Amino acid sequence: MSLLTKTLRSRGSWIVLIATLACVALVLYAWRLPPFHTGTETTENAYVRGLVTIVAPKVDGYVAEVDVQDYMAVKAGQVIVKLDDRIYRQKLEQARSALAAQEANLANTAQAQRAREAAIGSTQAQIASAQAQLLNARAQLTRAQADMRRAVPLAQDGSLSQRERDQTEAALHQAEAAVKQAEAAAMQSQAGKSVATQDLRTVIVNRDAVEAAVESARAAVKLAEIDLDNTEIRAPRDGHVGEVGVKLGQYVTPGTQLMAVVPSQVWIV
């Protein structure tokens, strides 16, 4: 009887010990304490966060193609939506035509400038010729004046006939007229140079305006190219698209939210 009692008491002690250890293990497990602690955190009250990028068009138009589906993986630069680009292609062609016209105007202006410069050179040659003729006419006038001064006393004392005196006087008048004609020609050449110089200045000013118009036309072509390129809406980064809200044939405007791209890297808050 004593042996049986001892056996029961021993079993009862083991049961109590096992129950105690089980309670301790349950508490350690509930509180995630060693040896039940792991590197994985769990919770039922958290949010998934990530650098979500909203995809929106930069130009308006009708949706021609939707190349992705909900939650599809995409790569940065991949075309995901296409807009109808016919109007933007025509605008680009118009801009290029306007640029070609302005470049032709610039070429014409350059040709006009060269023509005015050549005219100035020709006028300068005319001025030089007129100056030479004026100097020659003045020299002839000086000679005629000297002949007249000698002829007057000779005609008075009878050493020179009246006919010869008249011829000398006529030569003097002819020399005076030649001087006036040469002076008029010189003045006309100077006036021609002034007109040619003014024309050249006008052409140069006009060329500056045409060059500015060419630069403006080039900028218009660049803007048209950018608008045409923006009709293809591309993924801004690698990731997965969310729910695709845009539909085929839908009219969209700049800023319209089409979908979101969620990156591969996310975190828990």
Side-chain angles (χ1 to χ4, degrees), residues 1 23 25-26 30 39 44-45 63 75 80 103 149 170 194 199 224 226 228 233:
M1 188 69 178
C23 291
L26 183 61
E44 296 180 356
N45 184 20
V63 177
K75 295 292 184 180
I80 55 180
E103 288 176 341
R149 284 193 299 270
S194 298
D199 288 346
I226 292 174
L228 179 60
I233 303 171

Side-chain angles (χ1 to χ4, degrees), residues 1-2 8 22 41 43 77 79 83 89 100 116 121 139 144 152 156 174 206 209 238 240 246 255 259:
M1 188 69 178
S2 176
L8 292 175
E41 298 290 342
T43 180
V79 178
L83 304 182
R89 289 188 182 277
R116 298 300 187 279
V152 170
Q156 290 176 353
Q174 186 177 3
N206 185 47
D238 294 347
H240 290 76
V246 63
M259 66 191 74

Side-chain angles (χ1 to χ4, degrees), residues 12-27:
S13 299
W14 279 107
I15 292 174
V16 172
L17 179 60
I18 292 172
T20 302
L21 293 175
C23 291
V24 171
L26 183 61
V27 171

Side-chain angles (χ1 to χ4, degrees), residues 107-127 189 191-207:
N108 292 335
T109 302
Q111 178 62 32
Q113 180 176 346
R114 289 191 293 270
R116 298 300 187 279
E117 291 172 348
I120 290 177
S122 176
T123 304
Q124 289 176 340
Q126 292 176 1
I127 291 174
S189 299
K193 180 182 179 181
S194 298
V195 172
T197 302
Q198 185 62 35
D199 288 346
L200 177 60
R201 291 175 180 173
T202 302
V203 169
I204 291 174
V205 172
N206 185 47
R207 180 175 181 176

Side-chain angles (χ1 to χ4, degrees), residues 30-78:
W31 288 90
R32 293 295 188 268
L33 297 175
F36 301 102
H37 175 70
T38 64
T40 303
E41 298 290 342
T42 61
T43 180
E44 296 180 356
N45 184 20
Y47 297 93
V48 179
R49 298 297 188 190
L51 298 176
V52 179
T53 303
I54 302 300
V55 178
K58 296 181 180 179
V59 295
D60 61 316
Y62 290 94
V63 177
E65 294 182 21
V66 180
D67 297 332
V68 292
Q69 297 177 352
D70 294 350
Y71 314 118
M72 179 183 292
V74 294
K75 295 292 184 180
Q78 176 182 341

Side-chain angles (χ1 to χ4, degrees), residues 85-102:
D85 61 358
R86 290 175 296 177
I87 294 177
Y88 295 98
R89 289 188 182 277
Q90 289 300 318
K91 288 183 178 180
L92 178 57
E93 292 302 322
Q94 289 178 348
R96 287 174 176 171
S97 298
L99 174 59
Q102 293 299 336

